[in-house]
C-alpha cells in the first residue's frame, strides 16, 4: 500500500517535472522565435537604412558630378566667348591703327586735342603722343589751341591764354598699343585725360557690349 502511494507520488512529481520542462521548452522556443524575429527585423531595417544612405550618397555624388560638369562647360563656354570678344576688340584696334595712317588723321588729332583741353579744364597742359605722331601733333597744335580758345570765348566770353606744350621726353612717348591719338596731363600728371584711340575704342566697346553680346550670343537673351 505504501509502495503504491510512493509510486503515485513519484509519477506525480515526474508528471509535474515533465509539464514544467515542456512549459519551459515552449516558452524558450517562443522567446527564441520572438528574439529571432526581432533580430531579423532590425537587420532588415539596418540593411534598408544602409541602402537608403548609399542611395542618397550616390545621388549626392551624381549631383556634384553633374554640377561640376555643368560648371566646367559654362566656364569653357565663357572663356571661348571672352576670347571671341577680345579677338573682335583686337581687330577693331587694328582698324584704328589703319585710321591713324589715313590722310584725315591730322584733323582727327586736332579734334582730339581740342576735346581733351575742354575736358581737362586746366590752363597748363602737356600733351603726349606716339613718336611717329610728334611732327603731326606739332603741326596741328597751334590750330587746336586757337579752336579751343574760340570755343571757350564763345561759350563763356572768357578769352584764355593756355600754356599747352608737347612732351619733349621721347622715352615717355605713347606706345603703339594706343593705336594713335593723344593723352593730356596737368598738375605734374595728377590730372590725366586719355584721348588715345585705344581708350576711345574701349569706351565704345563697353557701351556697345550688351548689343554685341545680343548679336553674337542670341541664346543668352
Amino acid at each position: 500500500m505504501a509502495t503504491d502511494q510512493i509510486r503515485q507520488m513519484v509519477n506525480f512529481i515526474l508528471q509535474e517535472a515533465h509539464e514544467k520542462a515542456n512549459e519551459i521548452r515552449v516558452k524558450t522556443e517562443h522567446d527564441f522565435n520572438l528574439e529571432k524575429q526581432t533580430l531579423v527585423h532590425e537587420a532588415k531595417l539596418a540593411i534598408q537604412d544602409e541602402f537608403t544612405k548609399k542611395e542618397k550618397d550616390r545621388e549626392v555624388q551624381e549631383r556634384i558630378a553633374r554640377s561640376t560638369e555643368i560648371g566646367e562647360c559654362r566656364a569653357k563656354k565663357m572663356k571661348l566667348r571672352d576670347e571671341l570678344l577680345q579677338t573682335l576688340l583686337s581687330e577693331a584696334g587694328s582698324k584704328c591703327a589703319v585710321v591713324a595712317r589715313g590722310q584725315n588723321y591730322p584733323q582727327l588729332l586736332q579734334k582730339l586735342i581740342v576735346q581733351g583741353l575742354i575736358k581737362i579744364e586746366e590752363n597748363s597742359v602737356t600733351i603726349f603722343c606716339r613718336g611717329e605722331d610728334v611732327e603731326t601733333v606739332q603741326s596741328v597744335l597751334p590750330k587746336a589751341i586757337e579752336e579751343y580758345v574760340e570755343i571757350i570765348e564763345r561759350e563763356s566770353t572768357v578769352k584764355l591764354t593756355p600754356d599747352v606744350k608737347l612732351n619733349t621726353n621721347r622715352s615717355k612717348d605713347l606706345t603703339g598699343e594706343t593705336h594713335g591719338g593723344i593723352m593730356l596731363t596737368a598738375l605734374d600728371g595728377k590730372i590725366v585725360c586719355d584721348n588715345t584711340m585705344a581708350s576711345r575704342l574701349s569706351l565704345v566697346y563697353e557701351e556697345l557690349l550688351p548689343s554685341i553680346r545680343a548679336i553674337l550670343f542670341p541664346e543668352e537673351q
Side-chain angles (χ1 to χ4, degrees):
M1 185 68 176
T3 302
D4 292 338
Q5 289 179 346
I6 291 172
R7 187 180 290 111
Q8 288 179 357
M9 290 179 63
V10 171
N11 289 336
F12 177 76
I13 292 171
L14 290 174
Q15 180 69 24
E16 284 289 324
H18 179 72
E19 290 178 356
K20 193 66 176 176
N22 189 56
E23 181 181 334
I24 291 172
R25 181 182 60 78
V26 171
K27 186 177 185 307
T28 300
E29 289 181 356
H30 177 270
D31 291 345
F32 172 76
N33 289 331
L34 184 61
E35 181 68 17
K36 184 175 71 173
Q37 289 177 359
T38 301
L39 291 174
V40 170
H41 181 66
E42 289 178 351
K44 287 182 178 179
L45 290 178
I47 292 172
Q48 289 177 353
D49 289 343
E50 183 67 18
F51 176 79
T52 301
K53 181 178 180 299
K54 287 184 177 180
E55 186 67 15
K56 287 183 178 179
D57 290 342
R58 184 185 64 80
E59 290 176 356
V60 169
Q61 291 302 320
E62 285 182 352
R63 284 198 296 269
I64 292 174
R66 187 161 54 249
S67 178
T68 301
E69 184 179 357
I70 292 173
E72 290 175 350
C73 289
R74 188 170 296 164
K76 185 177 181 180
K77 189 176 182 181
M78 291 301 296
K79 182 181 178 182
L80 291 173
R81 289 180 177 181
D82 288 342
E83 288 175 353
L84 175 57
L85 291 173
Q86 288 304 313
T87 299
L88 290 176
L89 186 59
S90 177
E91 291 177 354
S94 298
K95 293 185 183 302
C96 287
V98 172
V99 172
R101 294 192 296 269
Q103 61 180 2
N104 294 325
Y105 186 52
Q107 291 87 341
L108 176 61
L109 281 176
Q110 180 176 329
K111 296 299 180 183
L112 290 175
I113 293 171
V114 173
Q115 185 184 61
L117 290 172
I118 293 173
K119 281 185 176 181
I120 205 166
E121 294 183 335
E122 291 292 332
N123 198 56
S124 181
V125 177
T126 300
I127 295 177
F128 293 82
C129 65
R130 299 181 304 174
E132 61 198 89
D133 292 335
V134 170
E135 291 185 4
T136 306
V137 172
Q138 286 175 331
S139 66
V140 300
L141 185 56
K143 292 182 179 179
I145 295 173
E146 181 181 349
E147 183 179 349
Y148 166 66
V149 171
E150 289 176 356
I151 291 174
I152 297 301
E153 186 176 11
R154 184 170 64 249
E155 297 297 328
S156 65
T157 68
V158 176
K159 188 174 182 64
L160 300 176
T161 53
D163 177 22
V164 183
K165 59 182 181 294
L166 181 62
N167 163 57
T168 56
N169 186 346
R170 297 280 70 86
S171 66
K172 294 184 178 180
D173 284 344
L174 301 182
T175 66
E177 294 178 353
T178 60
H179 306 306
I182 48 97
M183 182 180 293
L184 302 89
T185 67
L187 300 179
D188 295 323
K190 293 183 176 65
I191 300 177
V192 177
C193 175
D194 189 346
N195 230 6
T196 61
M197 301 289 277
S199 174
R200 297 180 70 84
L201 174 61
S202 180
L203 290 174
V204 172
Y205 172 77
E206 292 297 330
E207 182 179 343
L208 296 179
L209 187 55
S211 299
I212 295 173
R213 286 187 178 277
I215 293 171
L216 296 178
F217 317 119
E219 69 274 9
E220 288 187 351
Q221 306 306 311

